[in-house]
Amino acid sequence: MAHPSTYRPRPGEIPTDPGVYRFRDKDGRVIYVGKAKSLRPRLSSYFQDVGALHPRTASMVLAGASVEWTVVGTEVEALQLEYSWIKEFDPRFNVKYRDDKSYPYLAVTMGEEFPRAQVLRGAKRKGTRYFGPYAHAWAIRETLDQALRVFPMRTCSAGVFKRAGQVGRPCLLGYIDKCSAPCVDRVDAASHRQIAEDFCDFMAGESSRFVKRLERQMRAASDELDYEQAARLRDDIGALQRVLEKSAVVFGDGTDADVFALADDELEVAVQVFHVRGGRIRGQRGWVAEKEFETVPEVVGHLLQQLYGGEEGEAVPREVLVPVLPDDAESLGEWLSRRRGSRVDLRVPRRGDKRALMETVERNATQSLARHKVARAGDLTNRSQALQQLQELLELDESPLRIECFDISHVQGTQVVGSMVVFEDGLPRKGEYRRFIVRGEQDADGAAAQIDDTAAMHEVLTRRFRRYLKDRDEPQVRDEETGRPTRFAYPPQLVVVDGGLPQVNAAARAIEDLGIVDVAIVGLAKRLEEVWVPGQDFPVVLPRTSEGLYLLQRLRDEAHRFAITFHRQRRSKAMTNSALDGIPGLGDVKRKALLRHFGSVKRIRAASLEELGEVPGIGATLAQTIERELTGAPVEPTVNLMTGEIVDDAQKDTDD
């Protein structure tokens, strides 16, 4: 493995023009292909300090042995050359953001003497009309099965068609009236072509014309008392309506668009695309890919490049709607326009029906990523592999069957809370989650001082493991059904904290202060997914595709979710507290009576003692207490009008 400095180009050797570059390994294989508006700053960024690079980028430059580049005239040319090189060399550090299958289309071969309807994939053929794309081939066959009642055109292969003509007998579809059987001359070529053209018009969006025509024919047959023919026409209308129901109308202006949405985390990205043709959703497709070190705009750019590039790329529609514009949106839009042969509108929908459809696609992407995570987390083999990887990479004495993860949540040091989530055998045990209200140290006035993340982490870990030491030395209380201890009388094999080296050191210091030495501690830094170990200056970098890193990420995300939820609850409660809360002697019933009488706390604060006393249940002493708490006014002695005695301020109001 060569160090990048051994093959770094000389200063000034790299041009500043747009171009495409390739990294090769020691065997000459291309391991990465990229493009740049200016080659010099882009390539120079790969040859900085390796420790400052993203882990996957560092792996790539360390695996490389040479770099070469090709200068092109424009960014569009760079896009085209980059795609062709990725397709030719299939570099292992370039991520594929599409699945390995092309989309199925409903195709009508209008270039043949007897046009045929069929399912086609791959490169588009001249003289063939395409409708779609569809998500699945069976969806096309269901559509054809319904439409052939009204448009009985040929669907058989050339061999079947020729053989039927030789024997003078049509296939089964000819006998059940789902084919006009041109093979045995039931209709001539012109009539069959007209059927095919009507079918194409119907699929292109002119559906109302054919439905209305069948309705007229049905009424005419009914008027002539030909009820059998009227019933057949009724069933034909129903078949067309079922075809129309399979592709919902979303736009009334005949929009042709592909709508993309992404849902991502640090490791993976879920892609969803809806294909709208003629204002109808003709197909939907999605997949999950490794995100690696690309940002979302970079993912969008690579996705469009891979989806629409090449000979078997998808047909480019008039509009391509994306969640965010790629970095080179202008050149990418020009490239798409060249692929289509006319202008392509690449943009982010901001309002209206297209924005609503984008939100629907985004929900599909989010659910797709969630389903993928659940399926991956539930796989026993993956869980076992994750625990084994953590044991090996972190050099643990035993497999971490019980892992606890801690996180801190606050807003500028206020409402500080902590969370603890527990995973056993790679699965969450939500019944053992715990929440902590971080108290912090008290200042000279008795108020809580400002607390930072490290101090909060130290306090949470101290409280958790102090409870462990206490429960360990006491008789264990066990659950009657499971026989497991109901308290934390046993420690985890691994503690994970959300954060970098400062948080890890604070957690380690808390455990060491309690004299516990058999618990391993690591921290997971969110930005680069680095694993920090106490006392080490450099993090442990787990492979981004490893199940161990995936398990740590799930732990960190679950702890973060649990902490955020608790923090929001406390913050909402604090924001809804009233100035009337906490006034001695003022319960819920009297507080509501005050608010009904005055309408607001502002008016209560401005009211006199006499006005406060008019509220049922509010006596003289309580009125003075309310005034003192709301305004800070000095307390005036209360005089008993019957005896002339001064009533003690602390005395309970007899009217309460």
Side-chain angles (χ1 to χ4, degrees):
M1 182 175 291
H3 193 275
S5 60
T6 61
Y7 64 93
R8 178 175 184 170
R10 292 190 298 272
E13 183 180 0
I14 308 174
T16 57
D17 302 307
V20 184
Y21 53 91
R22 293 180 290 187
F23 280 85
R24 294 182 181 270
D25 61 11
K26 59 183 179 60
D27 299 318
R29 291 174 298 187
V30 176
I31 59 175
Y32 185 74
V33 173
K35 68 178 185 305
K37 295 180 181 179
S38 178
L39 286 168
R40 180 177 298 173
R42 173 61 62 85
L43 287 177
S44 298
S45 67
Y46 290 103
F47 296 99
Q48 56 179 303
D49 181 16
V50 177
L53 294 175
H54 189 281
R56 184 170 175 86
T57 307
S59 300
M60 188 269 292
V61 297
L62 289 172
S66 64
V67 62
E68 57 192 35
W69 57 84
T70 299
V71 175
V72 295
T74 64
E75 295 177 44
V76 177
E77 293 179 10
L79 276 169
Q80 295 171 334
L81 182 58
E82 181 193 29
Y83 179 81
S84 63
W85 277 0
I86 291 175
K87 184 178 179 181
E88 177 182 355
F89 299 111
D90 192 21
R92 63 187 179 97
F93 284 98
N94 284 95
V95 182
K96 293 183 178 179
Y97 288 109
R98 59 166 295 177
D99 52 6
D100 57 355
K101 294 182 180 179
S102 58
Y103 293 82
Y105 284 80
L106 171 56
V108 182
T109 57
M110 299 301 294
E112 299 182 9
E113 181 182 7
F114 296 98
R116 173 193 177 192
Q118 59 182 318
V119 179
L120 283 182
R121 297 179 184 265
K124 305 300 183 291
R125 304 174 185 175
K126 187 176 182 180
T128 300
R129 292 193 63 178
Y130 292 88
F131 302 96
Y134 288 79
H136 305 283
W138 55 260
I140 302 178
R141 297 188 179 96
E142 286 186 357
T143 299
L144 265 180
D145 185 63
Q146 298 290 338
L148 289 178
R149 289 182 55 95
V150 184
F151 307 103
M153 62 180 301
R154 170 195 166 204
T155 58
C156 59
S157 64
V160 173
F161 185 84
K162 182 178 180 181
R163 186 164 55 252
Q166 291 173 344
V167 301
R169 187 173 62 250
C171 64
L172 176 62
L173 293 179
Y175 283 108
I176 63 176
D177 296 329
K178 286 194 173 182
C179 179
S180 56
C183 55
V184 293
D185 297 328
R186 286 186 184 176
V187 296
D188 57 17
S191 299
H192 185 268
R193 178 169 292 275
Q194 184 60 49
I195 295 173
E197 290 177 352
D198 289 346
F199 174 73
C200 291
D201 292 342
F202 174 79
M203 294 301 298
E206 300 180 22
S207 55
S208 59
R209 172 162 64 94
F210 297 100
V211 173
K212 290 178 181 178
R213 185 178 70 182
L214 291 176
E215 289 176 345
R216 288 194 302 268
Q217 294 174 357
M218 181 182 65
R219 285 192 293 268
S222 178
D223 293 340
E224 295 175 2
L225 305 182
D226 188 356
Y227 297 119
E228 291 184 0
Q229 177 65 14
R232 283 193 292 269
L233 292 170
R234 177 202 60 199
D235 294 341
D236 291 346
I237 294 173
L240 292 186
Q241 289 175 342
R242 285 190 291 273
V243 171
L244 296 175
E245 289 172 358
K246 290 181 182 296
S247 54
V249 177
V250 291
F251 304 119
D253 56 355
T255 297
D256 288 346
D258 284 347
V259 186
F260 293 87
L262 307 177
D264 69 315
D265 57 19
E266 288 74 16
L267 299 178
E268 295 173 310
V269 57
V271 179
Q272 283 283 322
V273 54
F274 279 24
H275 301 280
V276 180
R277 300 294 184 270
R280 297 178 179 274
I281 298 177
R282 297 295 187 185
Q284 170 194 359
R285 202 156 191 181
W287 59 92
V288 179
E290 296 177 9
K291 192 175 109 175
E292 303 303 339
F293 52 85
E294 287 89 346
T295 62
V296 173
E298 291 174 333
V299 170
V300 172
H302 291 159
L303 171 64
L304 299 181
Q305 186 181 358
Q306 294 181 24
L307 192 66
Y308 297 117
E311 296 179 356
E312 297 185 0
E314 307 304 327
V316 183
R318 286 196 296 267
E319 292 183 76
V320 176
L321 307 180
V322 293
V324 295
L325 288 176
D327 297 330
D328 50 353
E330 185 176 349
S331 58
L332 189 58
E334 184 180 346
W335 176 73
L336 291 173
S337 299
R338 291 186 182 181
R339 298 286 302 174
R340 174 177 170 80
S342 60
R343 184 177 180 275
V344 174
D345 189 9
L346 173 62
R347 62 188 180 89
V348 179
R350 300 296 184 187
R351 61 182 67 85
D353 293 339
K354 294 177 181 178
R355 179 60 203 173
L357 180 59
M358 171 68 76
E359 292 173 353
T360 300
V361 184
E362 288 174 349
R363 286 195 296 271
N364 278 266
T366 302
Q367 294 171 5
S368 174
L369 183 61
R371 289 194 301 270
H372 171 76
K373 285 179 171 292
V374 169
R376 186 174 179 182
D379 188 279
L380 177 60
T381 303
N382 288 342
R383 298 205 314 269
S384 301
Q385 184 180 0
L387 296 176
Q388 183 179 0
Q389 288 178 353
L390 290 180
Q391 180 182 358
E392 294 174 355
L393 295 173
L394 300 179
E395 299 180 355
L396 304 178
D397 296 333
E398 56 182 335
S399 182
L401 299 181
R402 179 185 175 94
I403 307 176
E404 295 178 2
C405 185
F406 296 83
D407 187 25
I408 303 297
S409 180
H410 61 86
V411 174
Q412 295 181 347
T414 63
Q415 299 292 339
V416 185
V417 299
S419 69
M420 182 188 83
V421 301
V422 181
F423 274 43
E424 289 191 356
D425 296 332
L427 292 176
R429 293 186 58 86
K430 295 191 176 182
E432 299 189 4
Y433 287 10
R434 292 295 183 270
R435 303 181 299 188
F436 300 85
I437 299 175
V438 179
R439 305 184 183 95
E441 298 180 357
Q442 306 293 318
D443 58 17
D445 298 329
Q450 196 82 355
I451 186 171
D452 59 12
D453 284 355
T454 56
M457 188 65 72
H458 184 278
E459 177 182 330
V460 168
L461 268 293
T462 300
R463 288 165 58 184
R464 185 267 178 268
F465 283 96
R466 184 183 292 144
R467 179 62 182 270
Y468 152 65
L469 294 176
K470 178 182 177 182
D471 289 352
R472 184 188 63 181
D473 299 333
E474 294 181 357
Q476 295 184 7
V477 179
R478 296 183 177 272
D479 187 273
E480 295 180 357
E481 296 182 1
T482 64
R484 298 176 62 90
T486 58
R487 295 178 293 176
F488 290 149
Y490 51 94
Q493 285 83 32
L494 178 63
V495 167
V496 181
V497 299
D498 182 12
L501 192 58
Q503 287 81 5
V504 172
N505 289 335
R509 189 169 60 254
I511 294 180
E512 290 174 0
D513 292 344
L514 295 173
I516 299 173
V517 296
D518 55 350
V519 176
I521 302 174
V522 297
L524 185 61
K526 191 174 183 62
R527 188 174 70 89
L528 296 178
E529 301 298 304
E530 299 168 333
V531 179
W532 289 91
V533 179
Q536 295 187 9
D537 295 332
F538 298 99
V540 177
V541 179
L542 302 184
R544 291 184 63 83
T545 57
S546 70
E547 293 297 329
L549 179 59
Y550 181 73
L551 176 58
L552 291 181
Q553 184 198 34
R554 287 183 57 224
L555 274 158
R556 188 266 318 282
D557 292 345
E558 180 70 356
H560 185 66
R561 179 199 64 80
F562 196 51
I564 284 290
T565 302
F566 185 41
H567 173 71
R568 287 172 178 168
Q569 292 174 356
R570 286 185 53 79
R571 189 176 62 199
S572 299
K573 183 177 180 180
M575 293 176 65
T576 56
N577 284 344
S578 169
L580 301 176
D581 296 340
I583 296 180
L586 187 64
D588 187 57
V589 174
K590 296 177 182 179
R591 185 166 57 246
K592 291 180 179 178
L594 277 171
L595 291 173
R596 278 196 305 268
H597 185 83
F598 291 100
S600 67
V601 175
K602 181 178 180 180
R603 292 182 178 179
I604 297 174
R605 185 178 286 112
S608 63
L609 291 175
E610 291 76 9
E611 292 173 334
L612 291 173
E614 295 175 359
V615 180
I618 306 297
T621 301
L622 183 56
Q624 285 190 347
T625 303
I626 294 172
E627 184 182 48
R628 181 177 70 248
E629 294 291 337
L630 294 181
T631 64
V635 180
E636 296 182 0
T638 303
V639 179
N640 190 319
L641 300 179
M642 298 293 295
T643 63
E645 295 178 345
I646 297 178
V647 181
D648 185 6
D649 295 334
Q651 181 180 338
K652 198 109 166 113
D653 196 320
T654 57
D655 295 334
D656 287 355

